[in-house]
Amino acid sequence: MRQVIVAHAHCDLYCGVYDPAQAKIEAMSVLKSAQKYQDSNDEVFRDRALLIKEERAELVKHHLSVLWTDFFTADHRKEFEDLDDLFWRAIHQAGEAKKSADPAEGQKLVDLIDEIADIFWQTEKAKDMGVYPPS
Amino acid sequence: MRQVIVAHAHCDLYCGVYDPAQAKIEAMSVLKSAQKYQDSNDEVFRDRALLIKEERAELVKHHLSVLWTDFFTADHRKEFEDLDDLFWRAIHQAGEAKKSADPAEGQKLVDLIDEIADIFWQTEKAKDMGVYPPS
Amino acid sequence: MRQVIVAHAHCDLYCGVYDPAQAKIEAMSVLKSAQKYQDSNDEVFRDRALLIKEERAELVKHHLSVLWTDFFTADHRKEFEDLDDLFWRAIHQAGEAKKSADPAEGQKLVDLIDEIADIFWQTEKAKDMGVYPPS
Amino acid sequence: MRQVIVAHAHCDLYCGVYDPAQAKIEAMSVLKSAQKYQDSNDEVFRDRALLIKEERAELVKHHLSVLWTDFFTADHRKEFEDLDDLFWRAIHQAGEAKKSADPAEGQKLVDLIDEIADIFWQTEKAKDMGVYPPS
Amino acid sequence: MRQVIVAHAHCDLYCGVYDPAQAKIEAMSVLKSAQKYQDSNDEVFRDRALLIKEERAELVKHHLSVLWTDFFTADHRKEFEDLDDLFWRAIHQAGEAKKSADPAEGQKLVDLIDEIADIFWQTEKAKDMGVYPPS
Amino acid sequence: MRQVIVAHAHCDLYCGVYDPAQAKIEAMSVLKSAQKYQDSNDEVFRDRALLIKEERAELVKHHLSVLWTDFFTADHRKEFEDLDDLFWRAIHQAGEAKKSADPAEGQKLVDLIDEIADIFWQTEKAKDMGVYPPS
């Protein structure tokens, strides 16, 4: 009996607060770090730009994984047929942007997160749990 | 000479992307975790709600500290005279919300972050570096 | 030109070492922590069991996400048609096992990871990069 | 009623153990990492020196933030009028030392932490909670 | 009385799941990262190889420390007389592999972990708690 | 040739700054968290006390492991014959203190760290690298 309560209660807890803004902000950092890396000739600065890009890209992966399996439900995945593929490409792209110092890889990542955000804000669930709806 | 370049370049890197949205989203989780804790009688669920609240409140502290010393400059602190006090109260409140299971403590935290966001969006710097401006 | 080299080189780096053993070992900890929670009446022990289960389940999510987007390629996803669905269910189940103190949820997680391991070891890539092939 | 107990009890918990030694030790690592970076011509070594400096500077920021909002009270901030400014400069300087490979930036950080330690040990609270009082 | 229960219960919890596979997999990454570093001329790639090697070596240290003090008992240390020395050399070697870009240092680390695994699988305790016994 | 430079240089880097104060301060937190747990009847507070104790004990393990394999050399281990045993007992005791809510377990941990500190300050190496020598 407790497990039933738990399952229900935890679904609630899980679904507390979600927003693609978290992934978007980190992805913007990935993009800008790559741009700054390319614009600089300073060894220390370039080193740090790669370091920060690495961390930010890892955070993007984390935030996207949470959206995919905690926010989006089995029903959402039926409704939005290419959702799994979109998430695979976005999380994979976070890896590409991590590996590369080419700002174009960061831009692709930002664009994929924008696609995810479009779907996110089409759901009813997002109306309760999102924080920064598109104006 | 290199140090000069570094200093300048790093200031740029530092100022890559900032947004109070990061602190706000985590603070919303703190608030909702406390509400869910109060609404539940399930031991496992209540335990996890406190655990999640703890982590989220710690992230709020981190995001606020970054805004205070990395985004806001010495000039901003002159322009907005109570900025230091506002940040002390907000980061301190994140600690209060961490300690307490009273949703009112989480709400106070959210309100203080909103005050910080108001100031953030009054700066020129935010126009370049912010991601989710108020609509 | 450099980017081309980078892209190739980094693919190599990415593909260094992978093994579902990492996710499996953490999932076994999730399962055993739930069992020990149920078998104990000690408040401190039960608290720690939930805490450890939480951390281990989080690590399972991370290891699975790495396998899905770093190890498995677009071609693998065509070859093994339900790979995306299997990963969604496994990572989602890690969340269920995190939320619940029911060992059955941990067992379901372990079983899903075994399904993933079966596919992993069918790939050519695994022969170079896996460490603990099935005996 | 419980909240009252909580608030009080948590204040106690919060105030368990504090010592500027934690920030000082990490700041010494920041300083020495910059010195060693400057003294070396080895690519691998220099890379690691920057990496370690980055981590240590981040830990300094964390330890200082804890002192500012968890140890020091509103009353302390009235008694020591430039406390907020001192903390802003110290945490900001940790960022400068992170960005730069110039040991002088690390030395400035150490000096600011020494100023904080002087104030820390003037408080009554430190007598109960500090671990390494000045001899 | 409770403490007795706790102590016993926690020993059980502690001894949930252990396997030298965790240290071995990370050590293989350390070795391969050093090899890839040596094989590449790309600045970004080499930088990332060192970064990943650093993290992986740190994880090896963690996994080895857990085996030494959580899995192996005082009795094991009497039975296997050079166990402490073997662990000191292995954890120290993880530091050497972290510091160096020479794959030979990574290979030494892998070899020492294999020695530990040989002893691990000689214990009765491993039969219950190990996951990947030698085939 | 480079490896030789690296090895030497890295030894220097490694040996930058060490002090048993780091382990001691965290161990004091472990002890005080257990005391506060025992003194409180508040569910939320007791939960947090265990959580904080868990984290602090983990940090103690980390700091002790660093001292054992990074600071202390093979020669030190010959000079101080029971050094390995002392470290095993101290790191193992950090696990005991983690598992238990009995302040006596935390006190044992603090005492073992004091024994380590006594040896630490007997070394020449500590004179250069220690920060808080006994007054």
Side-chain angles (χ1 to χ4, degrees), chain B residues 50-100:
Chain B
L50 294 179
L51 193 63
I52 290 165
K53 188 167 64 66
E54 197 83 8
E55 293 170 355
R56 298 299 119 183
E58 190 59 36
L59 286 169
V60 172
K61 287 183 161 204
H62 172 73
H63 289 308
L64 290 177
S65 179
V66 168
L67 287 176
W68 186 46
T69 58
D70 295 349
F71 175 81
F72 285 108
T73 64
D75 288 347
H76 289 139
R77 294 167 61 226
K78 288 196 194 102
E79 184 180 353
F80 304 99
E81 283 193 347
D82 65 352
L83 198 65
D84 292 347
D85 183 58
L86 180 57
F87 269 102
W88 186 87
R89 287 185 290 119
I91 299 175
H92 184 80
Q93 185 60 34
E96 294 303 310
K98 207 193 223 182
K99 288 186 276 180
S100 166

Side-chain angles (χ1 to χ4, degrees), chain A residues 51-111:
Chain A
L51 193 63
I52 289 165
K53 189 167 64 64
E54 197 84 7
E55 293 170 355
R56 300 297 120 184
E58 190 59 37
L59 287 169
V60 171
K61 286 183 162 206
H62 172 73
H63 289 308
L64 290 176
S65 180
V66 168
L67 286 175
W68 186 47
T69 58
D70 295 349
F71 175 81
F72 285 108
T73 64
D75 289 347
H76 289 139
R77 294 168 60 229
K78 289 197 193 102
E79 185 181 353
F80 304 99
E81 282 191 347
D82 65 352
L83 197 65
D84 292 347
D85 184 58
L86 180 57
F87 269 102
W88 187 86
R89 287 185 290 120
I91 298 175
H92 184 79
Q93 184 60 34
E96 295 302 311
K98 207 193 223 182
K99 287 186 277 179
S100 166
D102 181 353
E105 298 294 341
Q107 186 58 61
K108 279 184 213 161
L109 177 60
V110 170
D111 295 342

Side-chain angles (χ1 to χ4, degrees), chain E residues 2-3 6-7 10-11 14 37-38 46 54 58 61-62 65-66 68-70 72-74 77 84-89 91-92 94-96 98-102, chain F residues 2-3 6-7 10-11 14 37-38 46 54 58 61-62 65-66 68-70 72-74 77 84-89 91-92 94-96 98-102:
Chain E
R2 183 164 63 65
Q3 292 313 322
V6 175
H10 282 178
C11 173
Y14 250 69
Y37 174 89
Q38 298 295 351
R46 285 163 68 95
E54 197 84 8
E58 190 58 37
K61 285 183 163 207
H62 172 73
S65 179
V66 168
W68 186 46
T69 58
D70 295 349
F72 286 108
T73 63
R77 293 168 61 228
D84 292 346
D85 183 58
L86 180 56
F87 270 102
W88 186 87
R89 288 186 289 121
I91 298 175
H92 184 80
E96 295 303 309
K98 204 192 224 182
K99 288 186 277 180
S100 166
D102 181 354
Chain F
R2 184 165 60 68
Q3 291 314 323
V6 175
H10 281 180
C11 174
Y14 249 71
Y37 174 89
Q38 298 295 350
R46 285 163 68 93
E54 197 85 9
E58 190 59 36
K61 286 183 163 207
H62 172 73
S65 179
V66 168
W68 187 46
T69 58
D70 295 348
F72 285 108
T73 64
R77 293 168 61 228
D84 292 347
D85 184 58
L86 180 57
F87 269 102
W88 186 87
R89 287 184 290 122
I91 299 175
H92 184 79
E96 294 303 310
K98 207 193 223 181
K99 288 186 276 180
S100 166
D102 180 354

Side-chain angles (χ1 to χ4, degrees), chain C residues 33-120:
Chain C
S33 298
Q35 288 167 341
K36 290 173 190 303
Y37 174 89
Q38 297 295 350
D39 297 346
S40 169
N41 294 316
D42 176 73
E43 179 198 338
V44 177
F45 181 80
R46 285 163 68 95
D47 229 54
R48 295 191 66 241
L50 294 179
L51 193 64
I52 290 165
K53 189 167 64 65
E54 198 84 9
E55 293 170 354
R56 299 298 120 184
E58 191 58 37
L59 287 169
V60 171
K61 287 183 162 205
H62 172 73
H63 289 308
L64 290 176
S65 179
V66 168
L67 287 175
W68 186 46
T69 58
D70 296 348
F71 175 81
F72 285 108
T73 63
D75 289 347
H76 289 139
R77 293 167 61 227
K78 289 197 193 100
E79 184 181 353
F80 304 99
E81 283 192 346
D82 65 352
L83 197 65
D84 292 347
D85 183 58
L86 180 57
F87 269 102
W88 186 88
R89 287 185 290 121
I91 298 175
H92 183 80
Q93 184 59 35
E96 295 303 310
K98 206 192 224 182
K99 289 187 276 181
S100 165
D102 181 354
E105 298 294 341
Q107 186 58 60
K108 279 184 212 161
L109 176 60
V110 170
D111 296 343
L112 285 161
I113 292 169
D114 286 338
E115 284 187 54
I116 288 169
D118 288 342
I119 295 174
F120 177 89

Side-chain angles (χ1 to χ4, degrees), chain A residues 8-134:
Chain A
H8 175 267
H10 282 180
C11 174
D12 293 348
L13 184 56
Y14 249 70
C15 311
V17 181
Y18 295 100
D19 201 308
Q22 291 182 295
K24 174 74 175 273
I25 291 169
E26 302 299 354
M28 294 291 290
S29 290
V30 169
L31 169 56
K32 289 212 178 179
S33 298
Q35 288 166 341
K36 290 173 191 303
Y37 174 89
Q38 298 294 350
D39 298 344
S40 169
N41 293 316
D42 177 72
E43 178 198 339
V44 177
F45 181 79
R46 285 163 68 95
D47 229 54
R48 295 191 66 240
L50 294 179
L51 193 63
I52 289 165
K53 189 167 64 64
E54 197 84 7
E55 293 170 355
R56 300 297 120 184
E58 190 59 37
L59 287 169
V60 171
K61 286 183 162 206
H62 172 73
H63 289 308
L64 290 176
S65 180
V66 168
L67 286 175
W68 186 47
T69 58
D70 295 349
F71 175 81
F72 285 108
T73 64
D75 289 347
H76 289 139
R77 294 168 60 229
K78 289 197 193 102
E79 185 181 353
F80 304 99
E81 282 191 347
D82 65 352
L83 197 65
D84 292 347
D85 184 58
L86 180 57
F87 269 102
W88 187 86
R89 287 185 290 120
I91 298 175
H92 184 79
Q93 184 60 34
E96 295 302 311
K98 207 193 223 182
K99 287 186 277 179
S100 166
D102 181 353
E105 298 294 341
Q107 186 58 61
K108 279 184 213 161
L109 177 60
V110 170
D111 295 342
L112 285 161
I113 292 170
D114 286 340
E115 284 187 55
I116 288 169
D118 288 342
I119 295 175
F120 178 89
W121 289 110
Q122 289 176 46
T123 66
E124 276 308 304
K125 199 174 170 180
K127 292 178 178 42
D128 300 329
M129 299 160 193
V131 181
Y132 290 88

